[in-house]
Amino acid sequence: MKLILLVLLVSVTACNRGKFTEGRMFAGGKAVDAATLNLGHTTYLEYCVQCHGLAGDGKGVSAAGSYPPPRNLTQGLYKFPNVPYGELPHDVDFHRIIHKGLNGSAMLPWDISDERLDAVTQYIKTFAPQTWEGADKVLGTKIEPTPNPYGEDKRVEAIARGEKVYHIVAQCTTCHRAYASMDQINAWSKEINGTEMAGMDETIYQLKLQDSEYNYKVIPPDFTYHPLRSIHSTADIYQRMLYGVSGSGMPGWKDVVSDDDLWALTYYVEDLMKLKNDQQARQALMNRIETK
Ligand code: HEC
Ligand code: HEC
């Protein structure tokens, strides 16, 4: 009896002290103390557990039927940090994603104190120790944005170049849909490659579901229709294009297209996004596409 009481007493005190009694050493040589992890743990139980689950596996009570599903945080793979495909996010990436949320998904913007924001960032790393623990683990590369060759006064020029890069040079239509008539696409193709676009058919106007590393198929968005998860500004579009969306099939485009063309694509995508709030203009574009 005494022993049982003692065991009970010990576990209650352990509980009061929190889940963690020791700190952790994370990627990038980041030492985090137990108090921070415990604050992160209580923050997580308050705000995150219903979707991401007690075990961090994305199977919380509110997860059922959600598309996209909540991230399985035990995988240690993240879509929207500003680092190259598959590399490890910096704390600022987690802070931004958690603070701003992901548009058009159940992941809302979380208005919590800076202290709790950082604590929960550290805590979620403990779900993927294979990825995060150890001083030898390195954080992803941060690439300096190249100077914007266009800017506000050359917006029209940027968009005109962007639509050619989108349909011909980068062929974003292998996953996303086209936003120009086939005649127009063939004319651009002749101008840039000297020949018409090979093997083009109606599928160019469809969104092609992509297999992902997240155990579900991912839809490449229609920019004139879908909310874009990580985009809150022009610069965000540039960053996303630079780095891609890890694990979803959406590659990073640095070194695939020129730096200037990356900016042209940015303005073009932004221009398409405006049609979301302008049904008339969107319909006019769809009508232009139909007249071959
Ligand atoms: C109502 C459900 C819900 C709650 C609550 C929620 N999330 Fe999420 N979270 C999601 C969904 C859904 C996604 C996946 C979005 C996607 O794949 O586009 C996500 C994605 C994430 C990601 C991955 C980001 C990336 O780049 O891949 C992180 C990290 C994350 N959430 C952390 C948190 C934290 C921390 C909290 C609590 C402060 C929280 N979430 C609360 C639904 C939720
Ligand atoms: C191999 C397929 C593939 C190709 C090629 C591709 N994308 Fe994507 N793209 C995707 C997928 C899948 C997503 C959705 C990712 C998600 O939300 O999980 C996406 C998302 C995006 C987003 C939204 C990011 C966000 O924050 O929601 C933008 C912008 C984008 N792509 C632009 C482009 C542009 C421009 C090109 C051509 C230069 C391109 N993509 C080529 C598959 C592709």
Side-chain angles (χ1 to χ4, degrees), residues 79 172 174-176 218 221 223 228-230 241 248-250 253:
K79 287 184 187 175
C172 309
T174 50
C175 300
H176 296 270
V218 183
F223 309 110
L228 302 188
R229 307 267 183 263
S230 67
M241 230 94 77
S248 80
M250 162 77 189
W253 293 91

Side-chain angles (χ1 to χ4, degrees), residues 54-284:
L54 258 185
D57 56 5
K59 297 197 175 120
V61 289
S62 308
S66 147
Y67 183 90
R71 187 76 64 257
N72 173 356
L73 298 168
T74 68
Q75 246 187 310
L77 184 64
Y78 315 90
K79 287 184 187 175
F80 300 107
N82 290 339
V83 294
Y85 206 96
E87 295 188 9
L88 283 189
H90 292 238
D91 288 351
V92 289
D93 291 306
F94 283 124
H95 295 168
R96 183 188 60 247
I97 291 165
I98 299 165
H99 181 64
K100 294 192 172 173
L102 295 170
N103 300 326
S105 85
M107 177 68 189
L108 301 174
W110 295 101
D111 192 11
I112 50 181
S113 71
D114 288 352
E115 195 190 4
R116 294 195 109 186
L117 183 60
D118 186 60
V120 79
T121 292
Q122 306 311 327
Y123 174 67
I124 59 179
K125 295 177 188 172
T126 67
F127 288 128
Q130 76 287 1
T131 306
W132 284 102
E133 284 186 22
D136 56 321
K137 303 271 175 30
V138 288
L139 298 175
T141 316
K142 290 276 178 198
I143 304 170
E144 271 301 302
T146 56
N148 180 349
Y150 294 103
E152 240 6 80
D153 50 327
K154 290 193 191 160
R155 175 177 288 274
V156 175
E157 193 186 314
I159 295 168
R161 175 64 191 165
E163 58 186 355
K164 292 180 193 173
V165 179
Y166 182 89
H167 291 93
I168 312 297
V169 181
Q171 295 192 15
C172 309
T173 50
T174 50
C175 300
H176 296 270
R177 57 159 297 169
Y179 300 96
S181 70
M182 289 193 191
D183 281 354
Q184 179 64 78
I185 293 171
N186 276 327
W188 286 330
S189 182
K190 272 198 201 142
E191 178 193 321
I192 291 169
N193 295 329
T195 56
E196 295 202 333
M197 182 71 94
M200 182 165 52
D201 60 27
E202 291 293 332
T203 59
I204 202 162
Y205 299 112
Q206 291 163 9
L207 305 171
K208 294 95 188 163
L209 271 182
Q210 298 296 305
D211 287 327
S212 77
E213 290 172 49
Y214 298 102
N215 240 338
Y216 67 94
K217 293 200 188 261
V218 183
I219 304 173
D222 175 342
F223 309 110
T224 70
Y225 183 77
H226 292 112
L228 302 188
R229 307 267 183 263
S230 67
I231 311 295
H232 309 276
S233 67
T234 313
D236 285 348
I237 306 176
Y238 174 84
Q239 297 267 358
R240 195 79 285 126
M241 230 94 77
L242 190 64
Y243 294 118
V245 181
S246 287
S248 80
M250 162 77 189
W253 293 91
K254 172 149 183 75
D255 303 330
V256 181
V257 301
S258 72
D259 290 342
D260 286 4
D261 279 350
L262 219 53
W263 282 107
L265 279 170
T266 298
Y267 283 103
Y268 180 53
V269 168
E270 185 175 60
D271 197 53
L272 290 170
M273 285 172 72
K274 287 186 185 146
L275 300 183
K276 240 184 314 194
N277 305 315
D278 189 345
Q279 275 313 308
Q280 250 179 330
R282 183 174 193 269
Q283 197 50 53

